[in-house]
Amino acid sequence: MGDYRRIADLIADDIATGRLRPGQRLPPQRAFARRRGIAPSTAGRVYGELVRRGLVVGEVGRGTFVRAAPAGPPGRALAEPGPADAPVNMELNYPSAPGQAELLASVLAPLLRPDVLAEALLPAAATGTAAAREAAAALLVTPGWRPDPGRLLFTGNARQAIAAVLASLVRPGGRVGVEQLTYPLVKEIAARLGITLVPLAGDRAGVLPEAVAATHRSAPLSALYLQPALHNPTSLTTSGPRLLQLARLVHDLNLPVVEDRIWSFLTGPDDRHRRGERAGPLDPLAAHAPALTHVVDGLSKRVAPGLTVGFLVVPPHRVGAVAGAVRSGGWSAGRFALEAAVRWAGEGTVARLTEAKRADATRRQRILGEELDGFAVRSHPHAYFAWWELPAPWRADTFTAAAAAHGIAVTPGPAFAVAPGHTPDAVRLGLASAAEGDLRRALRTLAHIAARRTGGRSGA
């Protein structure tokens, strides 16, 4: 037991003397164990001891960062702990509407009758049930697109839907074009499947068609993975004209597309009017390239993350292949969740929650605008997240560590970057999970942290 504490003492000394700086990331525990010639379990105890002493902070999926600055002359440390307020996790992003649990429970009550429950507990195929396909098709409809229920498949959640489509489309070693910043879990899925993600340049209208064409010419792509509606993390929504350009291009190249629309429920008619467009961006890319586009959506954001379903709308000739990938991956949706989804959709519960969450996101965006006024923040009036380009000389890792020292978890920009050398000095702020009062307090604290290194900010 004493060995790990002695090693922790050595690391603590490096922090105290400045050899390890605030915000610096420690090696992964396995790499640390190899360097020190100790067991991985011992390395875990060392890191746990450093966390217990308040010297480092562990960020799930990203690593362990130095938290405390060394003792020195009077003055505030970079990552000096703030007031003992409740922690605020702005990495998580699970929207919840007032009265949501009661609303969901009332619709689920009939499922608990023994005769109904017996049916709901049976296994479900990837194609779900006829009622589920009709309900999902009605839920996903847009002004210019209504999916054919016969093309609907179901998974346990949207992440599994992405994995199933990519597994069915791309062989190990294949290349998939993505936005330069993309959903971090897609990076994990690609790594597990042996797929190479290739970043594609874009502008404020979306991915550039010429970038797709040039990349495909240099080395053929097997597919594209895009988030045209409320892109995570930037909140960018691809313009209607750009969607049409991309649709023509993928048709010419015969290039399959995975279109992630998990946040699309927050968009509305005013998005079209705000951009002065007569068509899109309400309609998906699938409306313009149905033979190549695989649409991914789900209930985790619309309804709740704990009992969810992933939706897939696939080209007619791809139904069998994608269903086979769902089965082989063990990604099928639970029958109970499907039955719940049918009732929530049919009774109007999903529609009511969608409106409530859209209004909630709008209120949270107002709080964001008030507390980070004057900073370079990119977002959308109805989005549940924002992309904050940090003021110099802040780096994403040091700012993340400084925020963590104040009990606030944010996601650093490099978590979304596809190219290894592209490490944006930005953070993503998830606005959905914290209570509004805690969100305001956290944003105000983050603004003070950012201003402390820049000597102030406009509008302060």
Side-chain angles (χ1 to χ4, degrees):
M1 292 291 288
D3 288 344
Y4 81 86
R5 290 197 180 98
R6 283 195 292 271
I7 297 172
D9 289 340
L10 295 174
I11 303 302
D13 184 62
D14 286 342
I15 293 173
T17 58
R19 287 191 291 272
L20 287 174
R21 295 175 288 104
Q24 187 170 340
R25 181 159 51 184
L26 299 184
Q29 290 183 22
R30 288 190 177 277
F32 182 85
R34 287 195 299 271
R35 293 180 190 177
R36 296 273 175 170
I38 58 178
S41 60
T42 303
R45 292 192 183 98
V46 172
Y47 279 41
E49 176 66 15
L50 293 171
V51 170
R52 188 189 67 78
R53 298 183 191 183
L55 299 178
V56 302
V57 58
E59 298 296 327
V60 176
R62 296 199 310 275
T64 303
F65 297 85
V66 175
R67 178 176 183 177
R76 300 191 65 178
L78 166 63
E80 179 183 346
D85 291 313
V88 177
N89 193 328
M90 299 178 72
E91 285 189 297
L92 299 178
N93 217 17
Y94 298 132
S96 179
Q100 175 173 299
E102 293 78 8
L103 186 61
L104 295 174
S106 64
V107 178
L108 286 180
L111 269 178
L112 302 183
R113 284 176 26 202
D115 57 330
V116 179
L117 185 60
E119 183 75 15
L121 293 180
L122 294 173
T127 52
T129 63
R133 291 192 295 274
E134 291 290 343
L139 191 64
L140 301 180
V141 69
T142 69
W145 181 68
R146 182 181 178 86
D148 176 0
R151 295 164 51 203
L152 260 294
L153 298 172
F154 301 92
T155 58
N157 53 49
R159 295 188 297 275
Q160 293 177 349
I162 295 168
V165 174
L166 289 177
S168 73
L169 282 173
V170 189
R171 293 184 177 183
R175 290 160 38 94
V176 174
V178 297
E179 289 109 340
Q180 291 176 320
L181 300 171
T182 196
Y183 182 32
L185 283 178
V186 170
K187 295 163 63 176
E188 294 184 16
I189 291 169
R192 289 181 180 275
L193 295 176
I195 293 170
T196 300
L197 298 183
V198 183
L200 302 169
D203 59 17
R204 293 287 178 154
V207 167
L208 291 165
E210 54 268 33
V212 177
T215 301
H216 189 63
R217 280 197 304 269
S218 64
L221 297 170
S222 299
L224 301 179
Y225 167 82
L226 303 175
Q227 305 171 73
L230 291 181
H231 169 263
N232 181 13
T234 65
S235 300
L236 172 73
T237 293
T238 302
S239 71
R242 180 61 55 81
L243 278 180
L244 290 172
Q245 292 173 341
L246 288 169
R248 287 194 291 267
L249 177 66
V250 299
H251 179 268
D252 292 342
L253 298 177
N254 193 31
L255 185 60
V257 181
V258 182
E259 181 177 11
D260 187 342
R261 287 179 58 80
I262 194 68
W263 289 107
S264 64
F265 72 98
L266 292 172
T267 60
D270 56 319
D271 293 297
R272 177 180 294 170
H273 300 320
R274 186 167 53 90
R275 301 178 68 136
E277 296 177 1
R278 301 177 67 181
L282 287 179
D283 298 331
L285 181 63
H288 312 296
L292 290 164
T293 307
H294 305 66
V295 174
V296 172
D297 209 324
L299 292 184
S300 63
K301 309 302 183 185
R302 297 175 191 251
V303 179
L307 184 63
T308 187
V309 177
F311 304 139
L312 272 169
V313 184
V314 302
H317 65 284
R318 296 275 303 145
V319 172
V322 180
V326 172
R327 287 191 299 272
S328 63
W331 295 316
S332 299
R335 180 68 174 267
F336 187 90
L338 280 180
E339 295 294 337
V342 169
R343 284 163 172 76
W344 286 331
E347 295 286 337
T349 301
V350 178
R352 287 191 288 273
L353 288 176
T354 294
E355 287 306 311
K357 291 180 179 182
R358 201 163 186 267
D360 179 58
T362 301
R363 290 193 303 272
R364 292 166 184 269
Q365 283 291 333
R366 292 196 192 103
I367 295 173
L368 174 77
E370 291 164 4
E371 299 301 331
L372 296 188
D373 180 40
F375 287 110
V377 179
R378 295 170 57 186
S379 195
H380 180 283
H382 308 305
Y384 268 121
F385 46 86
W387 182 247
W388 185 4
E389 297 171 351
L390 298 168
W394 279 107
R395 300 195 314 272
D397 55 352
T398 53
F399 187 86
T400 299
H406 287 73
I408 304 169
V410 299
T411 310
F416 299 89
V418 177
H422 183 63
T423 55
D425 290 320
V427 294
R428 193 203 71 166
L429 306 175
L431 309 179
S433 296
E436 289 187 25
D438 292 336
L439 175 64
R440 185 179 291 278
R441 172 178 61 81
L443 290 171
R444 187 167 296 173
T445 299
L446 293 176
H448 289 158
I449 294 171
R452 192 164 71 220
R453 290 290 300 277
T454 59
R457 61 185 174 100
S458 60

